[in-house]
Amino acid sequence: MKPDAGLEHFVASFAANEAVLAESSPAWLAPLRRDAIEKFASLGFPTRKNEAWKYTNVGAIAKAAFDPSPTANGAVSSGDVRALLADRAQECTLVFIDGRFDRELSTPAAQSSGLVVGSLSDALAESPTELRPLLEAPDSLQRPFTALNGAFQRDGAYVRVTRGVQWEQPIQLIFVATPEAAGRISNPRNLISIDAGASAAVMLHYASLCDASYSTNAVTQVRVGVDAELDLVTIQSESDSAYHLSSVDVMQDRDSRFRSHWVSLGGALARNEVHARLDAPGTDCALNGLFVAGGEQHVDSQTTIDHASPHGTSRELYKGILDGRSRGVFNGAILVRPGAQKTSAQQSNPNLLTSNAAHIDTKPTLEIRANDVKCSHGATIGRLDDDSLFYLRSRGVDLQRARKMLTVAFASEIAQGIPQESLRAQVEKLVAEKLERNEVQPEAA
């Protein structure tokens, strides 16, 4: 395939499907979609000449020419959903099949309880003026896959916790790819808004029942209001034949608290971006992440914490465990703008290589334009500690078992940081299964 053929494929697909996309959407969304496809056409697929994509090659996605056309959902049973949720479905669980909302498999909470939750397509039909400012918000970042999502966005989740409501039960949003997803790309768009004084925990889980090649290209917009609080748990456990691209954009208001817990386990190529803007004084942001890869997997983590106001606090801990011939990328940026005095920011990226052939490229960065701040960052790349291995073996633990115990211990810090027991248990189960699949073996001499 010619280098530009993939680009032309998506532009032509948009032209062929524009009328279908517009059928169930408000009129003001059509020009936004057209602007998005034009931006995508202008940017093109990113290459390694772009610093943010220096270590990640998306040529396979361009060549695959995935079909973005609207399609019917594949078949998923309630048993499938329970298994994916480790039998821990909550009172409020929304299920999306191949990018489209499935009402029968979902159990939304009562709308009168201070929680508004449902599909984006339904919300656009029922409350378009409420959603318009969110979808019209300009994207100042030059992100081709975000633009592609904007062009083909049709469904996703809409969550709003109204002013002062303390929602106790986790809100679970699960996106399942079925065999019908083979050769296709879905573009879910999620909107999460936590009003002033409210709090909630939301889980995004991208899972797969499809062994063939397909792509998920997700965008999630988060707004955390004055003195509001959100825990966002993201689990990516797609098949090892899938391509997963996602972006989470966070805007925080005064005295708000946002905690992201991100876990990446699946995908032939997986890239996750988190952009958090601390837009008012007193904000608190924590980004925690764990990526576990094996075989030939490639996982790319890009984070930006933008301290745009004074008296902001951020903490970031991203851990990587790489086995086989896998490759990891971490690019974490902390920006402290002029006037953002009294900022406190900490960033750490420790990585564990359990194979001689695994590789990690890590680049934590600080850009400080204020003079009264406390900021630190760092990254480490290492292998299992010989002294710890010796200690375990001296107490009768065989080498393979000792290595697995230390690897699980390294990973557990991220899961333990999730306050909600049901979500923490799901993460622990999936991480344990992934580590078991990696089949950590003693390294060759």
Side-chain angles (χ1 to χ4, degrees):
M1 178 177 285
K2 295 180 180 179
D4 294 333
L7 183 67
E8 294 170 357
H9 163 74
F10 283 109
V11 173
S13 294
F14 178 80
N17 291 285
E18 184 176 13
V20 176
L21 290 167
E23 283 179 357
S24 57
S25 303
W28 53 261
L29 193 52
L32 294 182
R33 287 195 177 108
R34 285 194 293 271
D35 288 346
I37 197 64
E38 289 172 4
K39 183 175 183 179
F40 173 72
S42 173
L43 293 172
F45 284 100
T47 69
R48 291 186 175 181
K49 294 180 180 179
N50 184 316
E51 183 64 25
W53 294 86
K54 182 177 180 180
Y55 301 109
T56 298
N57 184 354
V58 298
I61 298 176
K63 292 178 182 178
F66 291 114
D67 185 2
S69 303
T71 183
N73 298 351
V76 174
S77 70
S78 58
D80 292 328
V81 174
R82 286 195 302 272
L84 291 170
L85 292 173
D87 289 322
R88 289 180 176 270
Q90 300 293 319
E91 174 188 347
C92 184
T93 300
L94 268 62
V95 180
F96 297 81
I97 307 301
D98 298 330
R100 302 293 300 279
F101 178 58
D102 191 303
R103 196 177 307 276
E104 294 196 1
L105 290 175
S106 301
T107 55
Q111 303 297 301
S112 61
S113 58
L115 175 69
V116 180
V117 60
S119 75
L120 179 62
S121 60
D122 288 345
L124 282 169
E126 297 165 4
S127 308
T129 56
E130 184 177 309
L131 274 62
R132 185 170 183 173
L134 298 175
L135 292 175
E136 285 185 334
D139 178 15
S140 61
L141 304 173
Q142 301 297 300
R143 298 179 292 179
F145 287 103
T146 301
L148 185 65
N149 176 283
F152 287 97
Q153 61 177 296
R154 189 178 189 188
D155 209 352
Y158 175 56
V159 176
R160 180 187 175 194
V161 184
T162 58
R163 187 181 185 92
V165 171
Q166 312 297 307
W167 190 259
E168 299 294 337
Q169 291 294 323
I171 301 162
Q172 297 187 333
L173 313 173
I174 180 167
F175 298 81
V176 186
T178 74
E180 296 293 328
R184 311 187 72 86
I185 181 171
S186 64
N187 294 277
R189 173 67 66 107
N190 306 309
L191 303 180
I192 301 173
S193 182
I194 312 299
D195 289 358
S199 67
V202 178
M203 182 191 75
L204 298 169
H205 186 180
Y206 299 95
S208 180
L209 299 174
C210 178
D211 293 329
S213 179
Y214 68 92
S215 182
T216 299
N217 179 36
V219 172
T220 300
Q221 295 172 253
V222 176
R223 299 293 180 267
V224 189
V226 175
D227 195 30
E229 183 171 358
L230 173 65
D231 273 287
L232 181 65
V233 179
T234 305
I235 305 172
Q236 188 276 109
S237 61
E238 305 219 49
S239 80
D240 288 350
S241 299
Y243 297 91
H244 180 92
L245 304 145
S246 68
S247 179
V248 177
D249 296 343
V250 184
M251 185 70 74
Q252 291 188 243
D253 211 332
R254 177 174 54 82
D255 296 327
S256 63
R257 298 164 299 282
F258 172 71
R259 292 182 295 268
S260 170
H261 315 270
W262 175 74
V263 178
S264 180
L265 306 173
L269 184 155
R271 178 178 167 110
N272 178 76
E273 301 180 14
V274 180
H275 300 270
R277 182 177 172 93
L278 284 61
D279 212 32
T283 49
D284 185 279
C285 176
L287 303 185
N288 301 310
L290 172 68
F291 48 94
V292 184
E296 301 285 340
Q297 285 183 282
H298 182 107
V299 56
D300 185 344
S301 305
Q302 305 277 325
T303 68
T304 301
I305 301 178
D306 184 351
H307 285 269
S309 290
H311 297 279
T313 301
S314 67
R315 300 165 306 286
E316 181 172 6
L317 174 62
Y318 264 60
K319 287 188 167 187
I321 300 175
L322 302 170
D323 190 45
R325 300 181 61 83
S326 63
R327 182 164 188 170
V329 180
F330 174 77
N331 189 353
I334 295 175
L335 169 62
V336 181
R337 294 184 180 271
Q341 306 293 0
K342 303 297 182 181
T343 288
S344 175
Q346 299 176 350
Q347 181 191 78
S348 178
N349 173 229
N351 298 281
L352 179 62
L353 306 184
T354 58
S355 162
N356 287 327
H359 182 81
I360 178 76
D361 294 290
T362 177
K363 184 184 176 183
T365 61
L366 292 174
E367 183 177 345
I368 302 173
R369 303 178 185 175
N371 57 19
D372 187 4
V373 302
K374 291 183 179 180
C375 297
S376 65
H377 68 158
T380 60
I381 303 170
R383 302 188 183 278
L384 293 172
D385 182 65
D386 288 337
D387 290 340
S388 298
L389 284 171
F390 177 80
Y391 174 83
L392 290 172
R393 295 200 70 191
S394 70
R395 276 146 180 80
V397 181
D398 67 74
L399 181 58
Q400 183 175 348
R401 175 65 176 164
R403 289 173 58 82
K404 288 186 177 182
M405 289 173 64
L406 293 176
T407 304
V408 170
F410 179 84
S412 65
E413 184 176 4
I414 300 303
Q416 288 301 311
I418 300 173
Q420 298 76 26
E421 190 276 334
S422 62
L423 302 185
R424 183 170 62 249
Q426 290 184 53
V427 168
E428 289 174 337
K429 178 177 182 294
L430 289 168
V431 170
E433 291 174 349
K434 173 64 176 179
L435 292 175
E436 190 69 26
R437 290 196 301 274
N438 278 357
E439 294 183 351
V440 179
Q441 299 290 338
E443 296 176 28

